[in-house]
Amino acid sequence: MNAQLLDQFLSEDCDAHVHRKLLTAIHKQRASGVPGVQRYTFNHFNITLNFVTKQVSLEDDLAVGPQGEYKLGIEEFEEILQKRK
């Protein structure tokens, strides 16, 4: 898994709208307490918020295989997004 994908996502796809959308999804899910999976497709990256496994998957549309995928915990992802405010 390629940790640089997270940096690429944050610099290339994570504008103010995407930032708000992802944080809102995380906060709404936490408030509801209902586990599930939410998928988002942006310009360059696909993001899956898996509240069952508590993981976020980033997939680079331009890279095939393991080098185009990165996973991290939802709490860690939320923390990273909150620091970017």
Side-chain angles (χ1 to χ4, degrees), residues 6 9 16 22 26 31 46 49-50 56 59 62 70 73 79 82:
L6 179 60
F9 166 72
L22 292 171
I26 292 168
N46 300 314
L49 301 174
N50 188 329
V56 176
E59 297 174 4
L62 304 177
Y70 182 67
E79 201 173 291
Q82 287 178 338

Side-chain angles (χ1 to χ4, degrees), residues 20-40 47-57 71-79 81:
R20 258 189 324 275
K21 183 176 216 149
L22 292 171
L23 279 177
T24 299
I26 292 168
H27 295 156
K28 281 185 178 180
Q29 186 285 328
R30 186 172 290 131
S32 76
V34 178
V37 177
Q38 296 180 18
R39 291 181 177 86
Y40 299 92
I47 306 294
T48 302
L49 301 174
N50 188 329
F51 298 104
V52 176
T53 63
K54 298 182 180 3
Q55 285 197 322
V56 176
S57 298
K71 292 185 181 187
L72 69 159
I74 286 181
E75 289 183 12
E76 181 182 359
F77 186 65
E78 178 184 17
E79 201 173 291
L81 290 176

Side-chain angles (χ1 to χ4, degrees), residues 6-26:
L6 179 60
D7 292 332
Q8 281 183 293
F9 166 72
L10 293 172
S11 65
E12 295 175 17
D13 268 5
C14 193
D15 60 15
H17 171 74
V18 169
H19 183 265
R20 258 189 324 275
K21 183 176 216 149
L22 292 171
L23 279 177
T24 299
I26 292 168

